[in-house]
């Protein structure tokens, strides 16, 4: 691990201002950042500890939803009575992710800010445009079983690892931030994560020094909330495919998919196909997909997972 300086932020404005320092990083739980620092994939020159800023509460919002502080731990969010009752898809997604020990440390903001990555990202002997822009992508033409089938580019085919973010996308959450100049803004979760394009090293639409303060969940939607994750082993594994669904009694609903793209994947027009069944939904949802020989199985797997979700909703 390379040398770095460290400070504890005293206020959100101070944290955001310090975040503009060259190669500075915010740290809370550190479950992703510290791992990458040990491997010298991330080499921040300055760490800003935001744990003391008080963003660790889940509070009612004025519109009838919930305001989740950016420092709320994943375990606490999943266990909150209001989240379990009104946002079951979120609670289930959180419990499907990582391990109990990691969920005890990981924060809401940190979960959203996980690096979109693949095995080649961790191997510093291999070229990776996310780790070293312009060096190439070893995954393209390499082992790609776990990687993206849609929304990828000629520069990167990695997938976003978060389970929580897939549920947030189904819920249409919004992300509250404070910029380095002290101004605030709200970012729709649909616009928060980027597709790789020719700059895959940039994962989100956050500006330099912009600090997440909360995530707002909308007024409860009702319906049946389901999160189904298909993975190679029963725990502590990223999704090959995951589906976050909110299905209403009349058969309409929302569907977001993980494990297939650089960001949680949701195509709202595809949801109009729900009454016609999983094949119609999948055809619209993954229209334009470009799978590799290794991961072409993900397309029928998405269809089968959506079928299982709809069967559970009907039951």
């Amino acid at each position: 691990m390379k040398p770095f300086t460290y400070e504890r932020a005293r206020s959100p404005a101070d944290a955001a201002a310090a975040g503009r320092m060259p190669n500075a990083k915010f740290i809370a739980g550190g479950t992703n950042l510290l791992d990458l620092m040990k491997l010298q994939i991330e080499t921040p020159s300055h760490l800003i500890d935001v744990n003391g800023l008080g963003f660790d509460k889940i509070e009612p919002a004025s519109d009838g939803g919930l305001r989740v502080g950016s420092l709320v731990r994943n375990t606490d969010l999943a266990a909150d009575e209001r989240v379990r009752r009104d946002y079951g898809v979120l609670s289930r997604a959180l419990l499907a992710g990582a391990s109990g020990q990691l969920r005890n440390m990981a924060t809401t903001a940190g979960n959203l800010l996980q690096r979109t990555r693949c095995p080649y990202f961790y191997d510093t002997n291999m070229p990776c445009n996310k780790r070293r822009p312009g060096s190439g992508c070893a995954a393209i033409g390499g082992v790609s079983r776990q990687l993206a089938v849609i929304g990828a580019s000629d520069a990167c085919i990695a997938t976003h690892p978060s389970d929580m973010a897939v549920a947030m996308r189904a819920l249409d959450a919004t992300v509250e931030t404070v910029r380095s100049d002290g101004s605030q803004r709200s970012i729709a979760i649909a616009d928060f994560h980027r597709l790789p394009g020719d700059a895959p090293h940039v994962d989100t639409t956050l500006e330099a020094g912009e600090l997440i303060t909360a995530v707002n969940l909308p007024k409860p939607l009702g319906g049946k909330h389901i999160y189904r994750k298909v993975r190679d082993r029963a725990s502590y594994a990223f999704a090959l495919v995951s589906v976050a669904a909110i299905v209403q009694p009349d058969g309409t609903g929302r569907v977001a998919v993980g494990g297939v793209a650089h960001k949680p994947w949701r195509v709202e027009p595809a949801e109009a196909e729900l009454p016609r069944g999983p094949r119609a939904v999948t055809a619209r949802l993954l229209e334009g997909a470009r799978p590799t020989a290794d991961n072409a199985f993900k397309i029928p797997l998405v269809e089968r997972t959506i079928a299982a979700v709809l069967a559970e909703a009907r039951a």
Side-chain angles (χ1 to χ4, degrees):
M1 190 178 290
K2 294 188 175 182
F4 57 89
T5 54
Y6 169 89
E7 70 171 288
R8 291 178 178 170
R10 294 171 296 177
S11 71
D14 285 348
R20 286 194 64 83
M21 293 175 59
N23 206 22
K25 293 282 186 181
F26 299 121
I27 187 167
T31 55
N32 186 208
L33 178 59
L34 290 177
D35 279 348
L36 297 179
M37 288 174 66
K38 291 172 185 176
L39 295 169
Q40 295 191 13
I41 293 170
E42 292 276 10
T43 55
S45 57
H46 185 63
L47 288 184
I48 305 147
D49 190 330
V50 297
N51 280 297
L53 297 182
F55 300 138
D56 57 354
K57 298 177 179 62
I58 304 171
E59 302 170 310
S62 58
D63 63 356
L66 283 181
R67 186 176 187 272
V68 179
S70 60
L71 296 173
V72 172
R73 307 292 161 167
N74 286 180
T75 295
D76 296 331
L77 183 57
D80 186 89
E81 181 181 353
R82 295 160 294 183
V83 175
R84 293 174 62 193
R85 181 187 65 227
D86 297 328
Y87 307 96
V89 66
L90 177 57
S91 182
R92 292 179 175 90
L94 285 162
L95 293 173
S99 66
Q101 294 92 331
L102 286 173
R103 292 195 296 269
N104 288 342
M105 289 297 296
T107 62
T108 300
N111 194 305
L112 291 176
L113 291 172
Q114 291 182 79
R115 295 301 310 271
T116 301
R117 55 199 188 269
C118 79
Y120 294 101
F121 175 76
Y122 286 105
D123 187 347
T124 55
N125 295 310
M126 304 297 288
C128 173
N129 288 318
K130 291 190 71 67
R131 181 172 15 88
R132 189 174 175 187
S135 63
C137 176
I140 296 176
V143 179
S144 55
R145 178 175 181 273
Q146 294 179 310
L147 305 184
V149 298
I150 196 165
S153 72
D154 292 337
C156 184
I157 59 172
T159 52
H160 196 274
S162 173
D163 292 288
M164 184 194 80
V166 181
M168 293 284 196
R169 181 66 182 93
L171 290 165
D172 274 338
T174 57
V175 181
E176 288 185 7
T177 70
V178 59
R179 294 183 173 109
S180 57
D181 62 2
S183 63
Q184 300 177 3
R185 71 166 171 157
S186 182
I187 308 169
I189 193 70
D191 301 323
F192 183 79
H193 296 104
R194 295 181 66 256
L195 292 178
D198 58 2
H201 60 290
V202 183
D203 287 329
T204 73
T205 56
L206 291 177
E207 301 170 1
E210 192 168 7
L211 175 69
I212 298 174
T213 56
V215 174
N216 282 314
L217 304 178
K219 186 177 178 179
L221 298 169
K224 191 76 173 284
H225 288 224
I226 299 168
Y227 188 77
R228 184 173 287 258
K229 181 176 182 179
V230 182
R231 46 190 162 177
D232 284 328
R233 59 179 184 266
S235 66
Y236 200 54
F238 293 145
L240 289 171
V241 162
S242 64
V243 172
I246 304 169
V247 184
Q248 302 299 335
D250 63 0
T252 62
R254 300 180 179 188
V255 174
V257 179
V260 299
H262 211 73
K263 60 189 288 187
W265 194 255
R266 182 178 170 203
V267 177
E268 281 86 340
E271 295 165 355
E273 305 292 337
L274 278 169
R276 296 181 57 205
R279 179 169 296 181
V281 175
T282 304
R284 190 71 182 272
L285 184 69
L286 299 183
E287 187 176 2
R290 295 192 302 167
T292 68
D294 283 349
N295 64 20
F297 72 92
K298 285 193 175 188
I299 294 177
L301 184 58
V302 168
E303 180 182 333
R304 291 168 187 165
T305 307
I306 292 173
V309 164
L310 294 179
E312 182 178 345
R314 286 192 298 269

